[in-house]
């Protein structure tokens, strides 16, 4: 810009006297001006590159072991506009009472990417393969786990649109295997909060200088029309069985979600969130008026070698009485209430070079059918018993990005159909 | 009825979209003056150090200034960058003449995730640290849940600069 101005001034100065000068004189004058402009440009370049001094400025002195720089050192190289990351995990589960059910699985392999269109606008995506092989004859899945555009409107807040992770709980948004203890994700954040839970929509996010982060949006929700009363999936995870994952999602009824998290004290994080909306999706069936309300609160405290966390989540589905009447005689009606909570303590017992060894213990209770709508005929459905699980094990971090896991899980109630039963687990996970 | 929700959200988003979106929180000059209000000069210097000696990648070259008041050295000021999760975080570190941290500032931050490293209480953990402290996440520097990668990479960046000062600048006589 400045250079342009100098050229303009030079041209104006050059042209003004030219009307009264002969050609040779004009040429000489132009040459002189060119030389002056070049000199000015060189001076400006030097000024720009010179060290920033607070007046009165002093010249840098050569000092021992430190070379006085004639020009400022180059700025740090800019990151590429497009970046890739990824994570993956391989698990082995061995039920102690049913060794024949032991299973090894490439649970998931994920490639993530982001691209910066400009300083304020990014696209983020995650592509995932589950269970190693996905084809018409195999159990594996290929999925787009997240894909959204994010635009920062100001340093403190912005807007996102696309397929986004629902901002509930500790795990859903931070589900890489290096981020949690134990081979398997905790039950509360799989059975009650169906991680990895994502919906399509628009959200605004932001944070304050006091450490309060917020995220609120509107988007798609689960589809109660997908409920299968004959299968066990609704008992394993009520919302996991009817989430839509933006796969030709029925979207008559938008859902609202909001989350608040506070990180004002280093090491401590507390927060909570809600997700609410009609889930009949406008279809003409007995569950058309059903509404979902799911709320959770959580806390995590990392201090010294200790990492303590706790979470409680509770969900309700209204207006299920008529729908469950149509499911009479089938094993899995729609629950009116479901809940779960856990407390977990981990201790980084050993730390050497980049490696660490962290034993942990977690206790959780959860119930995917804590209450059912009363029926006008018959005794109705009685609540399921509450499952209680102790998990104890070790996360061995070869480095912060690679983890080997071992744990043992003790269930108070076996349920082979849902895979509940005492077992030990082995796992490998990585993140880059 | 839900359409009613969409109207204010859309209108609100359109309104705030008009606001400029700088990601720069502080300039280098502002951070220098905040850390060394008495300085009369910031002399740009270059450290003769092999990046590998401080655990940095080849080509690493943070900008370094010596803060002076007249002939007296007040300390050192560094401007560097690390990757957060996928984007650069530009930051500055001010050290006193003895090599202890005066201030860590996040100058520019570009991604929504992990932005909590900007919080003053988190950055204050570094004040007073020297190259003799571990300056390691989950040891003497507490993590922010959900911002682990940004916390870790920034902590490693500070550790490198403390080592750089120890290796390359420590022989500078402090008057």
């Amino acid at each position: 810009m400045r250079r342009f101005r100098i050229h303009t001034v030079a041209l104006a100065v050059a042209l003004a006297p030219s009307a009264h000068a002969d050609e040779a004189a004009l040429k000489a004058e132009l040459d002189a001006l060119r030389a002056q402009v070049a000199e000015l440009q060189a001076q400006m370049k030097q000024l720009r590159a010179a060290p920033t001094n607070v007046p009165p400025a002093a010249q840098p002195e050569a000092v021992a072991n430190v070379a006085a720089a004639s020009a400022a050192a180059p700025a740090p190289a800019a990151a590429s506009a497009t970046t890739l990351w990824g994570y993956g995990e391989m698990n082995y589960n061995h039920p102690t009472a049913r060794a024949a059910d032991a299973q090894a699985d490439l649970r998931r392999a994920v490639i993530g990417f982001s691209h910066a269109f400009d300083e304020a606008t990014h696209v983020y995506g995650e592509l995932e393969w589950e269970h190693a092989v996905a084809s018409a004859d195999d159990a594996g899945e290929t999925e787009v786990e997240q894909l959204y555009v994010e635009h920062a409107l100001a340093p403190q807040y912005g807007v996102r649109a696309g397929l986004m992770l629902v901002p509930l709980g500790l795990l859903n948004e931070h589900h890489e295997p290096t981020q949690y203890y134990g081979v398997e994700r905790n039950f509360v954040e799989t059975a009650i909060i169906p991680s990895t839970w994502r919906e399509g929509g628009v959200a605004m996010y932001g944070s304050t200088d006091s450490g309060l982060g917020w995220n609120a949006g509107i988007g798609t929700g689960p589809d109660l029309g997908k409920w299968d009363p004959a299968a066990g999936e609704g008992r394993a995870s009520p919302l996991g069985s009817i989430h839509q994952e933006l796969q030709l999602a029925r979207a008559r009824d938008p859902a609202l979600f909001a989350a608040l998290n506070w990180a004002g004290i280093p090491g401590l994080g507390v927060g909570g969130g809600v997700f609410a909306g009609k889930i009949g999706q406008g279809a003409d069936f007995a569950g058309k008026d059903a509404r979902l309300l799911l709320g959770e609160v959580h806390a995590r405290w990392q201090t010294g070698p200790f990492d303590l966390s706790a979470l409680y989540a509770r969900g309700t589905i209204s207006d299920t009485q008529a729908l469950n009447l149509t499911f009479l005689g089938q094993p899995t009606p729609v629950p009116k209430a479901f809940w779960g909570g856990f407390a977990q303590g981990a201790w980084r017992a050993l730390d050497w070079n980049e490696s660490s060894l962290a034993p942990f213990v977690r206790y959780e209770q959860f119930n995917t059918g804590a209450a059912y709508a009363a029926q006008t005929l018959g005794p109705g459905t009685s609540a399921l018993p509450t499952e209680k699980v102790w998990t104890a094990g070790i996360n061995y971090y070869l480095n912060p990005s690679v983890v080997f896991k071992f744990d043992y899980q003790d269930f108070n109630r076996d349920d082979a159909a849902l895979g509940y039963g005492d077992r030990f687990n082995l796992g490998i996970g990585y993140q880059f | 009825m839900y359409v009613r929700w969409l109207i204010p959200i859309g209108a609100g988003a359109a309104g705030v979209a008009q606001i400029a979106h700088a990601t720069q929180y502080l300039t280098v000059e502002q951070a220098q003056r905040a850390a060394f209000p008495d300085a009369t000069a910031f002399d740009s210097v270059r450290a003769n150090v092999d990046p590998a000696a401080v655990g940095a990648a080849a080509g690493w070259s943070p900008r370094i200034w010596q803060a002076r008041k007249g002939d007296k050295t007040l300390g050192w000021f560094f401007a560097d960058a690390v990757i957060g999760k996928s984007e650069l975080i530009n930051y500055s570190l001010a050290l006193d003449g003895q090599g202890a941290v005066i201030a860590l500032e996040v100058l520019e931050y570009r991604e929504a995730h992990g932005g909590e490293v900007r919080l003053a209480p988190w950055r204050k953990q570094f004040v007073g640290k020297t190259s003799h402290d571990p300056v390691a996440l989950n040891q003497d520097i507490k993590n922010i849940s959900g911002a682990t990668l940004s916390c870790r990479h920034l902590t490693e960046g500070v550790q490198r600069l403390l080592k750089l000062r120890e290796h390359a600048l420590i022989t500078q006589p402090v008057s």
Side-chain angles (χ1 to χ4, degrees):
Chain A
M1 186 72 179
R2 275 185 208 168
R3 202 169 289 171
F4 173 71
R5 277 188 203 143
I6 290 170
H7 281 303
T8 315
V9 171
L11 200 63
V13 173
L15 289 176
S18 67
H20 309 289
D22 62 27
E23 203 173 321
L26 180 63
K27 191 171 179 304
E29 204 166 344
L30 268 171
D31 285 346
L33 279 166
R34 276 200 195 103
Q36 277 177 14
V37 168
E39 196 182 335
L40 275 169
Q41 283 178 336
Q43 280 175 4
M44 274 185 65
K45 211 179 254 181
Q46 273 182 357
L47 275 171
R48 278 194 197 132
T52 311
N53 288 331
V54 172
Q59 288 303 307
E61 296 164 22
V63 291
N65 210 17
V66 176
S70 57
S80 159
T82 307
T83 50
L84 283 180
W85 68 85
Y87 63 92
E89 55 185 325
M90 285 152 277
N91 296 354
Y92 173 74
N93 310 108
H94 186 106
T96 51
R98 302 188 308 274
D101 290 344
Q103 192 175 60
D105 186 32
L106 196 160
R107 189 57 52 87
R108 46 178 62 86
V110 179
I111 297 289
F113 64 87
S114 72
H115 177 79
F117 299 106
D118 57 51
E119 282 266 305
T121 314
H122 297 80
V123 61
Y124 291 91
E126 274 188 13
L127 309 174
E128 173 162 340
W129 291 265
E130 290 186 358
H131 312 304
V133 184
S135 79
D137 303 323
D138 296 295
E141 291 178 18
T142 302
E143 52 201 51
V144 178
E145 197 172 65
Q146 314 180 40
L147 188 68
Y148 62 89
V149 172
E150 179 178 282
H151 181 71
L153 299 162
Q156 301 285 18
Y157 60 87
V159 61
R160 293 184 185 125
L163 177 64
M164 302 170 290
L165 299 177
V166 176
L168 259 56
L170 287 162
L171 198 146
N172 199 53
E173 287 185 293
H174 309 286
H175 49 257
E176 297 85 355
T178 50
Q179 303 252 22
Y180 58 86
Y181 296 97
V183 175
E184 301 295 339
R185 298 174 178 182
N186 70 70
F187 281 100
V188 180
E189 292 183 273
T190 45
I192 308 302
I193 300 171
S195 72
T196 309
W197 185 14
R198 61 268 192 180
E199 299 287 356
V202 184
M204 290 200 67
Y205 66 89
S207 59
T208 70
D209 290 340
S210 60
L212 196 65
W214 55 270
N215 184 344
I218 183 166
T220 57
D223 173 18
L224 190 58
K226 286 174 67 179
W227 189 273
D228 184 351
E233 209 188 340
R235 204 154 46 88
S237 172
L239 297 181
S241 72
I242 57 171
H243 63 182
Q244 304 200 76
E245 302 177 324
L246 212 59
Q247 179 197 176
L248 303 175
R250 300 184 60 222
R252 163 64 181 80
D253 295 326
L256 300 170
F257 57 86
L260 274 179
N261 278 286
W262 185 68
I265 297 175
L268 179 68
V270 293
V274 290
F275 185 98
K278 283 182 74 177
I279 54 175
Q281 303 300 347
D284 186 19
F285 75 124
K288 63 181 174 8
D289 295 326
R291 280 174 184 279
L292 165 69
L293 178 64
L294 179 71
E296 63 84 24
V297 287
H298 59 258
R300 185 173 182 187
W301 187 33
Q302 292 167 278
T303 180
F306 301 106
D307 185 350
L308 310 171
S309 55
L311 179 145
Y312 177 81
R314 183 178 175 84
T316 58
I317 299 175
S318 76
D319 298 282
T320 55
Q321 188 264 337
L323 181 64
N324 282 344
L325 200 58
T326 68
F327 295 160
L328 213 58
Q330 306 214 57
T332 314
V334 180
K336 187 172 79 172
F338 47 98
W339 62 270
F342 74 79
Q344 175 181 273
W347 170 47
R348 214 179 50 260
L350 288 172
D351 235 328
W352 68 102
N353 300 326
E354 284 214 292
S355 303
S356 61
L357 198 66
F360 72 94
V361 62
R362 178 171 66 236
Y363 178 66
E364 43 192 327
Q365 289 193 4
F366 62 100
N367 193 324
T368 56
Y372 292 88
Q375 290 295 352
T376 49
L377 293 170
T381 310
S382 50
L384 296 176
T386 296
E387 184 68 84
K388 297 168 186 171
V389 185
W390 282 97
T391 306
I394 290 174
N395 272 23
Y396 162 56
Y397 289 93
L398 181 65
N399 59 53
S401 307
V402 176
V403 64
F404 295 86
K405 301 176 177 182
F406 168 78
D407 62 60
Y408 183 80
Q409 294 189 294
D410 179 271
F411 292 72
N412 78 317
R413 191 176 62 90
D414 285 10
D415 188 329
L418 300 184
Y420 299 167
D422 299 357
R423 62 184 181 183
F424 71 81
N425 310 299
L426 297 166
I428 306 169
Y430 67 86
Q431 176 186 16
F432 65 85
Chain B
M1 90 172 247
Y2 280 99
V3 174
R4 276 185 239 155
W5 284 97
L6 289 170
I7 295 166
I9 288 174
V16 287
Q18 305 305 315
I19 299 168
H21 42 67
T23 56
Q24 188 168 56
Y25 301 96
L26 276 179
T27 63
V28 165
E29 290 74 20
Q30 287 167 336
Q32 284 176 335
R33 283 182 203 121
F36 299 102
D38 297 335
T40 53
F42 289 94
D43 299 336
S44 180
V45 295
R46 193 163 48 220
N48 296 323
V49 68
D50 175 13
V54 294
W60 177 68
S61 67
R63 288 184 289 165
I64 311 169
W65 290 264
Q66 184 182 15
R68 286 192 297 108
K69 183 182 183 184
D71 291 337
K72 189 182 168 197
T73 295
L74 299 178
W76 305 93
F77 187 91
F78 303 84
D80 197 9
V82 291
I83 302 279
K85 182 173 181 182
S86 61
E87 298 273 339
L88 280 182
I89 304 171
N90 292 81
Y91 70 100
S92 70
L93 184 74
L95 306 183
D96 67 16
Q98 312 305 316
V101 175
I102 297 173
L104 167 68
E105 297 286 352
V106 172
L107 304 178
E108 287 184 73
Y109 194 92
R110 296 172 176 82
E111 52 192 331
H113 295 292
E116 293 87 347
V117 291
R118 295 179 315 222
L119 294 173
W122 188 79
R123 292 183 287 105
K124 272 186 188 155
Q125 294 183 97
F126 291 87
V127 173
K129 300 286 181 197
T130 70
S131 57
H132 303 296
D133 292 306
V135 191
L137 196 66
N138 288 324
Q139 290 185 32
D140 54 342
I141 301 298
K142 287 178 180 168
N143 188 28
I144 300 171
S145 182
T148 304
L149 289 177
S150 293
C151 289
R152 173 168 292 124
H153 295 158
L154 203 46
T155 303
E156 289 168 352
V158 171
Q159 196 187 51
R160 277 196 293 273
L161 293 177
L162 288 169
K163 279 186 194 163
L164 173 70
R165 182 261 169 200
E166 168 111 22
H167 279 75
L169 310 174
I170 200 162
T171 51
Q172 161 63 19
V174 175
S175 48

